[in-house]
Amino acid sequence: MNILTAEQITKSFTERKLLDHVSFSLQEGEKAGVIGINGTGKTTLLKILAGLEEPDEGEVVLANHVIVRYLPQDPQFPPDRTVLEWALEAARGHGEAWDVEGETKAMLTRLGAGNYSQKIGELSGGQKKRLALAAVLLAPADILVLDEPTNHLDNEMADWLEQYLKNWRGTLVMVTHDRYFLDSVSNRIVEIDKGNLYSYQTNYSGFLELKTQREEMALASERKRQSILRVELEWMRRGARARSTKQKAHIQRYEQLKNQSAPVTDGQVEISSLSSRLGKTTVELSGLSKGFGDRVLFEDFSYIFLKNDRVGFVGTNGCGKTTLMKIIAGLEQPDTGEVKIGETVKIGYYAQELSFMDPKQRVIDYIRDAAEYVRTKEGLVSASKMLERFLFPSDLQYGLIGKLSGGERRRLNLLRVLMEAPNVLILDEPTNDLDIATMTLLEDYLDGYEGIVIAVSHDRYFLDRAIRRIFAFEKGRLVQYEGGYTDYAMKKAGEEEEAGVLPEKGAGKREEAPQTKTGKPKGPRKLKFTWQEQRDYETIEGEIRELEERIAGLEEEMNRSASDFVKLEELTAAREEAEKSLEEKMERWMYLEDLEEKIRQQES
């Protein structure tokens, strides 16, 4: 049953057209994730669907008696109300009176807002977001409209919310940049791209495949158009005279082909690794302890960061992750212990909370304050060029910061930190408010970054993708785990099972230790390559290179044979077969690289 319909919606912000005559509908029980580059209008679309903002053109129609609840990206509250008062008011009408308070307190505690008598004006931005989320989930609703629901949630809270929304029977439309969350919860992806909406009846993994197919079809159509246009152009150059009706139609067809727009490809954040030389002494932490009053955040933490270290810190909200980052960056002092910084160390700190950005300052001046030029592997690159690579075209560069969306400001701030060419990069919740495209390319950037990466994040995908060692805050201690988030979660689950702690309902399935005939777990199996794996590992990079060269050659031949449709069909089939082989080889290569890394760690 269709419970919400938006017809021919158009919305502009100053001179930027965010939505251009788009239509959108929601079916009962559907769970839709809205994605797109920051500044394309995701939040605007949610506000229009929730009835909080009027479109310039078009209308939104709700089915009878449908209740919509909206979670804003930056919620506002009356500062003099208490946490419990506000949450109870939101939950009014939800269950019997005697049951509401207990359910409300349980939800607040689950989302880290358990100080019920605290005034809302005393809460941090993250606490306010979690309070707003609790209020939305408690209130009766047919449609939940959630703008970045996972922001400011720790990993445990995000896991719980993921399971809660999967089991919730209502209709959901949300904006989130948490790729694991999006993949698990959503059954439909709606992409905003250059003012248009593209809908995919699948989760995030399926969307990636379908979008690639859509873009390939658009490019194939463009190649065909260019081929026909070349033939038509030759006919025009031979001096065709528009005397007959047939000749006039031929000329009109040429004009139509010439004026037809080519598909516009997505901009991408492209940036060569920026860093300065790192000497022998890096960052050394010795016996660090920190607390506030009677509350100890962490104690006696020591660690020496190695060159090219990729270290992540995880833990519940308020455990001290950001405090530790500030201590490493020299912005706070520990109660005990010492931070030793090498002479060549240059720290870049990307903070969780944006520092003040003058809304009247031009975008390009904000970057020039960091550096006019930076040295990359390609040579000197100007601030303007770097802005283009970070999806700020020339028309935005000379605009005011105040006209940027929240996500665009985060992306601009990230570029400013990178422009200073640090060799130690501290990222405190880098995934908050950054779009998926920027996150993906930041991860690619970190692959080639010649320096130390220290990150705090609740984004499980980012931790798996970019981090090789994790420290978890556990009861005032920092416990070290090797690998990314999934490795940490599996190790943690095994520890809990050994200790007799049952997993929470809805937690992910855990792999059981292999059993011997006596019922006792086997000891850890020593990892090593099989004969075939060793042979594949030695030859696979050459095979990948050959396939890439074959695909490039086939594409060149396709361009030359664009007018021969029989030949083109044969070449297309050959290219698809080669691309399939390449994909299989790449998957095999990734598996072997991962296995080789684990073997090396085992031997060290």
Side-chain angles (χ1 to χ4, degrees):
M1 176 184 171
N2 194 333
I3 61 173
L4 181 148
T5 302
E7 288 286 350
Q8 296 297 308
I9 299 297
T10 296
K11 186 68 178 181
S12 298
F13 179 72
T14 61
E15 67 279 2
R16 299 166 68 183
K17 182 171 281 190
L18 300 177
L19 303 170
D20 187 8
H21 293 92
V22 301
S23 295
F24 177 84
S25 63
L26 277 173
Q27 300 293 318
E28 191 172 11
E30 198 166 36
K31 293 181 170 65
V34 180
I35 65 174
I37 295 171
N38 285 331
T40 55
K42 300 187 297 295
T43 292
T44 300
L45 176 63
L46 292 196
K47 287 181 177 179
I48 290 173
L49 297 179
L52 300 175
E53 195 164 314
E54 290 293 325
D56 299 335
E57 299 178 36
E59 63 175 348
V60 176
V61 179
L62 284 173
N64 291 334
H65 311 298
V66 167
I67 300 173
V68 180
R69 300 292 179 188
Y70 173 65
L71 173 70
Q73 196 170 121
D74 298 302
Q76 302 298 318
F77 298 93
D80 57 338
R81 304 287 295 281
T82 68
V83 167
L84 185 58
E85 285 173 349
W86 179 264
L88 281 173
E89 185 174 319
R92 190 173 297 158
H94 186 52
E96 298 297 330
W98 64 268
D99 188 48
V100 169
E101 185 167 343
E103 187 176 351
T104 300
K105 286 182 176 179
M107 181 73 77
L108 290 172
T109 301
R110 166 61 71 180
L111 292 174
N115 190 350
Y116 311 131
S117 60
Q118 188 174 13
K119 297 288 187 182
I120 294 177
E122 300 171 359
L123 301 180
S124 68
Q127 288 171 320
K128 288 179 181 178
K129 182 64 179 276
R130 295 195 294 276
L131 173 59
L133 177 59
V136 167
L137 297 180
L138 283 165
D142 300 296
I143 301 176
L144 289 180
V145 180
L146 309 180
D147 197 351
E148 292 292 356
T150 61
N151 273 9
H152 306 291
L153 299 186
D154 59 39
N155 301 97
E156 291 181 7
M157 293 177 190
D159 287 341
W160 173 84
L161 180 62
E162 177 182 313
Q163 196 63 37
Y164 180 92
L165 293 176
K166 284 174 69 175
N167 295 333
W168 189 64
R169 295 185 178 181
T171 303
L172 169 68
V173 56
M174 63 178 173
V175 168
T176 180
H177 302 143
D178 187 323
R179 287 155 287 185
Y180 281 160
F181 188 91
L182 193 63
D183 200 46
S184 177
V185 174
S186 62
N187 53 28
R188 176 184 175 193
I189 299 295
V190 178
E191 181 188 22
I192 303 180
D193 187 15
K194 305 172 189 70
N196 298 314
L197 291 188
Y198 298 93
S199 182
Y200 305 83
Q201 296 295 331
T202 181
N203 62 1
Y204 182 68
S205 297
F207 152 76
L208 293 176
E209 296 178 11
L210 293 174
K211 182 180 179 182
T212 301
Q213 293 175 14
R214 175 172 68 84
E215 291 178 340
E216 286 177 350
M217 288 173 63
L219 291 173
S221 297
E222 173 60 13
R223 285 194 294 267
K224 182 177 178 181
R225 182 180 76 91
Q226 291 293 340
S227 176
I228 297 173
L229 192 58
R230 282 194 294 270
V231 174
E232 296 294 313
L233 182 60
E234 283 300 315
W235 183 84
M236 293 288 290
R237 284 174 175 170
R238 286 199 296 268
R241 291 170 291 180
R243 288 182 296 183
S244 69
T245 302
K246 185 176 180 180
Q247 287 173 324
K248 287 179 181 178
H250 211 144
I251 293 171
Q252 288 173 356
R253 185 171 69 155
Y254 166 75
E255 292 294 335
Q256 288 173 352
L257 285 167
K258 184 182 70 172
N259 295 330
Q260 186 176 325
S261 298
V264 182
T265 57
D266 289 335
Q268 289 188 337
V269 181
E270 297 176 354
I271 179 169
S272 297
S273 178
L274 304 175
S275 62
S276 47
R277 188 185 67 84
L278 190 60
K280 185 176 181 180
T281 303
T282 58
V283 177
E284 299 180 3
L285 312 180
S286 178
L288 295 185
S289 298
K290 184 69 176 180
F292 293 99
D294 296 333
R295 184 174 171 229
V296 177
L297 295 178
F298 52 87
E299 56 185 350
D300 197 27
F301 176 54
S302 300
Y303 184 74
I304 298 174
F305 289 93
L306 306 176
K307 289 184 178 179
N308 295 317
D309 237 347
R310 300 291 189 269
V311 181
F313 290 85
V314 301
T316 58
N317 286 321
C319 67
K321 301 186 297 294
T322 293
T323 300
L324 179 58
M325 296 304 103
K326 289 180 178 179
I327 290 173
I328 296 173
L331 302 176
E332 284 192 20
Q333 294 300 314
D335 295 338
T336 61
E338 180 185 12
V339 178
K340 184 178 179 182
I341 305 292
E343 291 184 3
T344 61
V345 168
K346 186 176 182 181
I347 293 177
Y349 182 38
Y350 181 66
Q352 185 176 164
E353 299 294 337
L354 269 179
S355 57
F356 174 74
M357 300 174 75
D358 185 356
K360 296 183 180 179
Q361 187 178 25
R362 295 189 306 177
V363 169
I364 194 165
D365 292 335
Y366 178 77
I367 295 301
R368 283 174 174 166
D369 285 348
E372 180 74 37
Y373 291 90
V374 290
R375 184 170 298 280
T376 71
K377 294 176 182 178
E378 306 159 2
L380 285 177
V381 180
S382 69
S384 178
K385 188 65 176 177
M386 293 301 291
L387 278 165
E388 286 182 9
R389 294 180 177 185
F390 249 60
L391 305 180
F392 290 99
S394 55
D395 60 324
L396 280 183
Q397 291 180 21
Y398 289 89
L400 301 180
I401 290 175
K403 293 184 177 181
L404 300 179
S405 70
E408 287 174 317
R409 293 188 194 193
R410 293 284 293 180
R411 190 195 315 145
L412 184 65
N413 181 237
L414 176 61
L415 175 58
R416 166 121 175 200
V417 171
L418 297 179
M419 286 286 286
E420 295 172 351
N423 49 32
V424 175
L425 188 57
I426 300 176
L427 304 171
D428 192 355
E429 295 292 3
T431 61
N432 281 358
D433 299 321
L434 286 183
D435 57 67
I436 292 174
T438 306
M439 281 307 308
T440 300
L441 289 147
L442 171 62
E443 290 155 359
D444 291 342
Y445 167 80
L446 293 178
D447 286 343
Y449 176 70
E450 297 177 355
I452 296 169
V453 177
I454 307 168
V456 168
S457 181
H458 66 269
D459 189 319
R460 297 159 293 175
Y461 189 100
F462 174 78
L463 291 171
D464 274 342
R465 175 71 173 78
I467 297 302
R468 296 197 288 264
R469 177 171 296 133
I470 281 180
F471 282 97
F473 283 72
E474 298 178 5
K475 298 178 181 179
R477 297 185 307 117
L478 282 149
V479 181
Q480 181 175 328
Y481 296 87
E482 294 304 310
Y485 181 81
T486 300
D487 298 308
Y488 153 73
M490 291 177 65
K491 177 70 172 176
K492 189 70 179 167
E495 291 174 355
E496 290 177 355
E497 287 175 356
E498 287 177 11
V501 179
L502 293 175
E504 289 187 29
K505 184 179 180 181
K509 183 179 179 181
R510 292 165 176 157
E511 293 185 9
E512 297 180 359
Q515 301 288 314
T516 64
K517 291 182 179 179
T518 61
K520 296 180 180 179
K522 292 180 181 179
R525 180 174 64 88
K526 187 174 181 180
L527 295 173
K528 63 179 181 179
F529 277 133
T530 64
W531 180 86
Q532 186 63 50
E533 285 171 343
Q534 183 66 47
R535 185 174 181 275
D536 288 350
Y537 186 72
E538 293 169 355
T539 61
I540 197 164
E541 289 189 2
E543 293 170 353
I544 288 172
R545 186 164 53 252
E546 289 174 4
L547 281 168
E548 288 173 337
E549 290 171 355
R550 172 165 169 72
I551 290 168
L554 286 167
E555 287 180 343
E556 288 179 6
E557 196 171 351
M558 287 170 69
N559 290 331
R560 291 193 299 268
S561 307
S563 58
D564 185 348
F565 295 110
V566 175
K567 181 68 172 176
L568 188 61
E569 189 174 349
E570 293 174 354
L571 292 170
T572 300
R575 186 193 64 176
E576 289 175 351
E577 184 179 348
E579 286 175 339
K580 183 179 179 181
S581 298
L582 178 60
E583 184 178 350
E584 292 171 352
K585 291 290 183 185
M586 289 298 293
E587 288 177 356
R588 178 67 169 169
W589 175 78
M590 289 170 66
Y591 161 78
L592 293 171
E593 281 289 318
D594 183 59
L595 181 57
E596 195 274 342
E597 174 70 19
K598 290 177 179 177
I599 292 171
R600 192 151 31 88
Q601 289 176 357
Q602 178 180 263
E603 293 172 349
S604 62

